[in-house]
Amino acid sequence: TRCLSDWSSDVCSSDLPAVVGATQDEATAALVEAGLTATVVEEFSEDVATGTVVRVEPGTGSRVRSGSSITLFVSKGQERYVVPDDLVGMTVEEATSALEALTLVVSGTTETYDDKVPTGLVVSVDPPAGQKLKRGDEVSLVISKGPQPVDVPAIYGKSLDQATAMLSAAGLKIKIVAKVYDDSTAGTIVKADPLPGATVAHGSTV
């Protein structure tokens, strides 16, 4: 420490201690010992561990007056944003807004059939929910086209067991109604609603 005296005051100065790489507590203690005070500003760092001094202002070795406030830039770790787990069921606009609020970018959309999520809403995202991403990383949205359409199979004249197996294989549900028909073989299918060949949503009831 060097002090200069004149008729009005004593001015003391010293070299700023080397605190880059020290923990926040260690750096603060070193500044106090040198007659200085610390102002802490947190910032992201890809390389420096959380709680460690990344840089200082003024720079290390600068000549500063006693009592000066030194700004410590302390690492708060890598800048990462977690893909939300509540995007499924949102509209494209809602999901885009939620991701942009996290500094993430929607790179595009694809479509898929889905029995549970209504048409036009988000089914899934890639990378998936919970993934930690950097600022500006891209996320793609998978959008529901609703249940996949299927054709009612040709079940007329089939036995109930055969018709049940065919409808189940097509992803359709079954409701059975028994009626008496004089000219038909007992246990065979004589009528269906919707008709065989009709296109219906996956999971529909025949």
Side-chain angles (χ1 to χ4, degrees), residues 136-180:
D137 278 356
E138 296 182 343
V139 179
S140 63
L141 305 177
V142 180
I143 309 302
S144 174
K145 295 197 292 185
Q148 183 173 5
V150 296
D151 293 336
V152 178
I155 57 175
Y156 283 0
K158 305 294 184 182
S159 70
L160 179 58
D161 287 345
Q162 289 173 322
T164 298
M166 293 169 68
L167 292 168
S168 296
L172 299 173
K173 299 176 182 178
I174 302 156
K175 179 181 179 182
I176 300 170
V177 178
K179 289 188 177 181
V180 176

Side-chain angles (χ1 to χ4, degrees), residues 47-71:
D47 306 313
V48 180
T50 302
T52 302
V53 177
V54 179
R55 56 194 176 92
V56 295
E57 286 185 1
T60 299
S62 297
R63 199 75 183 170
V64 291
R65 296 181 62 174
S66 179
S68 296
S69 178
I70 307 303
T71 302

Side-chain angles (χ1 to χ4, degrees), residues 27-189:
T28 301
L31 293 178
V32 170
E33 185 176 349
L36 305 169
T37 60
T39 299
V40 175
V41 176
E42 292 186 322
E43 64 180 22
F44 292 110
S45 174
E46 289 295 307
D47 306 313
V48 180
T50 302
T52 302
V53 177
V54 179
R55 56 194 176 92
V56 295
E57 286 185 1
T60 299
S62 297
R63 199 75 183 170
V64 291
R65 296 181 62 174
S66 179
S68 296
S69 178
I70 307 303
T71 302
L72 301 176
F73 293 88
V74 177
S75 171
K76 54 180 179 179
Q78 296 178 329
E79 184 178 17
R80 295 293 183 270
Y81 299 93
V82 179
V83 179
D85 59 4
D86 59 353
L87 298 177
V88 173
M90 287 187 178
T91 65
V92 174
E93 292 76 15
E94 290 170 340
T96 298
S97 295
L99 290 168
E100 288 179 346
L102 296 174
T103 75
L104 302 176
V105 177
V106 175
S107 60
T109 62
T110 56
E111 293 184 320
T112 188
Y113 292 111
D114 192 277
D115 292 342
K116 297 180 180 179
V117 179
T119 302
L121 302 185
V122 175
V123 174
S124 62
V125 294
D126 183 30
Q131 188 78 27
K132 293 182 179 180
L133 304 179
K134 296 179 181 179
R135 174 185 290 268
D137 278 356
E138 296 182 343
V139 179
S140 63
L141 305 177
V142 180
I143 309 302
S144 174
K145 295 197 292 185
Q148 183 173 5
V150 296
D151 293 336
V152 178
I155 57 175
Y156 283 0
K158 305 294 184 182
S159 70
L160 179 58
D161 287 345
Q162 289 173 322
T164 298
M166 293 169 68
L167 292 168
S168 296
L172 299 173
K173 299 176 182 178
I174 302 156
K175 179 181 179 182
I176 300 170
V177 178
K179 289 188 177 181
V180 176
Y181 291 88
D182 292 340
D183 58 351
S184 62
T185 302
T188 58
I189 308 303

